[in-house]
Amino acid sequence: LSKFYGKAKDAGAELVINKWFALQASADADDALDTVKRLVEHEAFSRTTPNRYRAVVNTFAGANPRAFHAADGAGYAFIKDEVIRTDKTNNQVAARLCGSFGTWKKYDAPRQALMKACLEEIVATEGLSKDTFEIASRSLK
């Protein structure tokens, strides 16, 4: 994977690099969350580039159900933290990501409790944007 990234970087192939990120973020692997945490620290990752951000973080939340919905809630906590952090710089991206918790009532009781707690923490965040607040509070109803 690193050779592939190097070639894409040298070629200036930004869309290919986005796919490289997304492939890893969606991988059904035991260490998927750790991989995503490493990816958000990668030299080519940018929280201010929406397509790059979505290729990693939104892909993890939307295309990696095993890791996002892990019984320990670590995937939920990661996404909650990303929503809160990203809301400060790009509230539309954060609001869209917050929608990952929108189906919380469809899961088993332990996962419901974890996702609901994340939504409640998001709603309680001081200085939260109107967009993200609306998505989170609507999801809680």
Side-chain angles (χ1 to χ4, degrees):
L1 280 172
S2 60
K3 277 178 119 177
F4 183 86
Y5 167 74
K7 288 181 180 182
K9 178 183 174 186
D10 291 345
E14 295 299 317
L15 293 175
V16 172
I17 293 172
N18 286 349
K19 295 294 185 186
W20 177 83
F21 274 115
L23 175 71
Q24 294 176 79
S26 65
D28 184 18
D30 292 338
D31 65 344
L33 180 56
D34 290 333
T35 297
V36 169
K37 287 179 177 180
R38 280 192 304 277
L39 290 173
V40 298
E41 299 301 324
H42 190 274
E43 67 178 2
F45 180 78
S46 172
R47 292 179 188 287
T48 59
T49 305
N51 288 341
R52 184 65 45 89
Y53 185 86
R54 284 191 293 266
V56 177
V57 181
N58 290 57
T59 297
F60 172 77
N64 198 330
R66 183 172 82 134
F68 177 58
H69 295 291
D72 67 357
Y76 302 147
F78 173 75
I79 294 300
K80 176 217 15 132
D81 292 344
E82 284 296 320
V83 167
I84 293 168
R85 181 175 182 175
T86 305
D87 188 68
K88 295 175 176 88
T89 55
N90 192 331
N91 59 12
Q92 291 178 338
V93 169
R96 183 174 178 184
L97 180 60
C98 188
S100 302
F101 294 113
T103 59
W104 67 274
K105 293 178 184 176
K106 295 182 179 184
Y107 292 89
D108 59 40
R111 286 178 175 85
Q112 284 183 18
L114 292 166
M115 286 190 272
K116 183 179 180 190
C118 287
L119 285 165
E120 290 171 342
E121 189 172 336
I122 291 167
V123 167
T125 300
E126 190 173 324
L128 193 69
S129 72
K130 179 184 170 196
D131 292 338
T132 302
F133 179 83
E134 182 179 330
I135 297 294
S137 60
R138 195 170 357 127
S139 294
L140 283 168
K141 293 181 180 177

